[in-house]
Amino acid sequence: MFKKILLAIVTLIATMGFAFAQVDVNKADQAALDGVKGIGPVTSKAILDERAKGGAFKDWADFESRVKGIGPKSSVKLSEAGLQVNGQAKSGAPAAPVAKAAPAKKEAAVKEVAAKEAAPKPAAATDTAAAPAKTAAETKKEAAAAKKEAKAAAAAAKKEAKLAAAEAKKAEAEKK
């Protein structure tokens, strides 16, 4: 049970780097925009429609004024999630982490799990004496939390795979 929870947490940490990939609103397709936290299918369609109608967004103020439902507060949140206009984050919003740091985190997390699994296990008698018995409710809560984390990690990995496929398709189209 502990290994499953630990694996779910490591997977979540490893995929979090992918969730913070920086996306330029003037270059992104619908899949890339959907990958930004806070942008769903309706908002990404509105962004793409407005970009097709009025051309590229000049800056954040232009983006906010042209896309319905995007105001100063939501634009700060979107910028924090990795959205950019002409390669610029919204001023006043902290920069989103670069996605390239994710592989290093993933490798470290995998090594950590491997080290914990390879570590010698204490005798069963000391385990039960040191840790108080868990109630069925606590065990059920932990299982539900692990399941939720695994589901979130799978969703993030799926979004990343979609984004990678869209980028590969775009690169292939540019080659032709």
Side-chain angles (χ1 to χ4, degrees):
M1 179 70 179
F2 178 72
K3 287 182 181 179
K4 289 181 181 178
I5 293 172
L6 184 62
L7 182 60
I9 291 171
V10 168
T11 304
L12 180 65
I13 291 170
T15 58
M16 282 184 68
F18 298 123
F20 293 115
Q22 296 182 351
V23 177
D24 192 321
V25 75
N26 288 323
K27 298 175 184 173
D29 60 358
Q30 187 161 5
L33 290 171
D34 285 344
V36 176
K37 183 180 178 187
I39 296 181
V42 174
T43 307
S44 63
K45 182 166 177 14
I47 291 169
L48 293 174
D49 290 346
E50 187 57 43
R51 187 175 73 192
K53 185 171 72 174
F57 298 101
K58 296 176 188 133
D59 54 19
W60 278 96
D62 183 38
F63 177 67
E64 291 169 8
S65 66
R66 288 172 48 192
V67 180
K68 184 178 178 181
I70 305 290
K73 288 182 182 177
S74 60
S75 64
V76 168
K77 289 180 182 176
L78 293 173
S79 181
E80 289 173 353
L83 190 68
Q84 297 180 344
V85 176
N86 286 330
Q88 299 295 318
K90 171 117 171 128
S91 58
V98 178
K100 292 180 182 177
K105 284 183 181 179
K106 185 176 180 179
E107 287 179 24
V110 169
K111 287 179 183 177
E112 181 180 333
V113 169
K116 285 184 179 180
E117 287 180 1
K121 310 274 188 277
T126 56
D127 265 355
T128 56
K134 293 181 181 177
T135 65
E138 289 173 332
T139 304
K140 193 173 182 179
K141 282 182 182 178
E142 287 179 1
K147 186 176 179 181
K148 186 176 180 181
E149 289 175 356
K151 193 173 184 180
K158 185 176 178 181
K159 279 186 178 181
E160 179 59 25
K162 263 183 159 178
L163 180 62
E167 289 176 357
K169 189 175 181 181
K170 187 177 178 181
E172 212 173 283
E174 288 177 359
K175 277 186 177 180
K176 292 179 182 179

